[in-house]
Amino acid sequence: MLSVSEWIEATDAIGLVVKKGRYGGTYAYKDIAFEFGSAISVPFKLYLIEEFQRLKEQEQALLGWSAKRELSKINYRIHTDAIKEHLIPPTITAQQASIVYANEADVLNVAMFGKTAKQWREENPDKKGNIRDYTTINELICLSNMESLNAVFIDQGLPQPERLIKLNEIAVNQMRILEQDGDRKLLK
């Protein structure tokens, strides 16, 4: 009977390593180790498959969250700079400025969801975060576009009620396009 190190040397095995010494042992590439484990025990193989599927679902959820966060940041700077430049007087306090920023964020929320952040929190006291943490990718794409457009409308000097009406029309149209079924494969 060959030892593992003799077998590795005799077969020129790839993916297996034997380390000698105090912290030594036999190590295998993970796929090879899984196959050995699968051959030893059927329940172990089922456990590996279930654990792999659980980890992949968790990874996808994290990727989705990360993608959503990045989408929400895309036009944020453009939007806040337009607010700062055109809507915030130089003599305003930081607290007053934060109200202006929140007001403009709510213009987007009302145009997109029909409610302010405060209204959403009151309707969802059990949820952490804010309305945008619970949106779909398509809604975030639309919100990102609306941030950019609202910045343009602010630069043009349009009053808030007019901007709200225009942004709502745009949101309805963009969501209709983004949610359409058909041959086009848009983000979901």
Side-chain angles (χ1 to χ4, degrees), residues 1-11 13 16 18 20 26:
M1 178 107 162
L2 294 174
S3 71
V4 176
S5 55
E6 291 171 335
W7 183 80
I8 291 170
E9 192 175 307
T11 62
L16 292 173
V18 174
K20 300 189 186 293
T26 302

Side-chain angles (χ1 to χ4, degrees), residues 42-52:
V42 172
F44 179 74
K45 182 174 187 169
L46 292 173
Y47 170 76
L48 283 175
I49 291 168
E50 288 172 357
E51 190 62 14
F52 176 78

Side-chain angles (χ1 to χ4, degrees), residues 133-180:
D133 293 324
Y134 296 91
T135 58
T136 66
I137 294 289
N138 286 341
E139 288 169 331
L140 281 174
I141 290 169
C142 188
L143 277 168
S144 179
N145 292 341
M146 289 190 342
E147 280 180 327
S148 180
L149 291 168
N150 196 37
V152 171
F153 297 156
I154 290 169
D155 287 342
Q156 292 173 347
L158 289 176
Q160 192 180 69
E162 282 183 45
R163 288 188 281 117
L164 177 59
I165 291 167
K166 282 182 177 256
L167 290 167
N168 178 255
E169 290 169 354
I170 291 166
V172 169
N173 187 48
Q174 286 189 5
M175 286 306 297
R176 183 182 49 76
I177 292 167
L178 289 170
E179 297 290 326
Q180 268 180 350

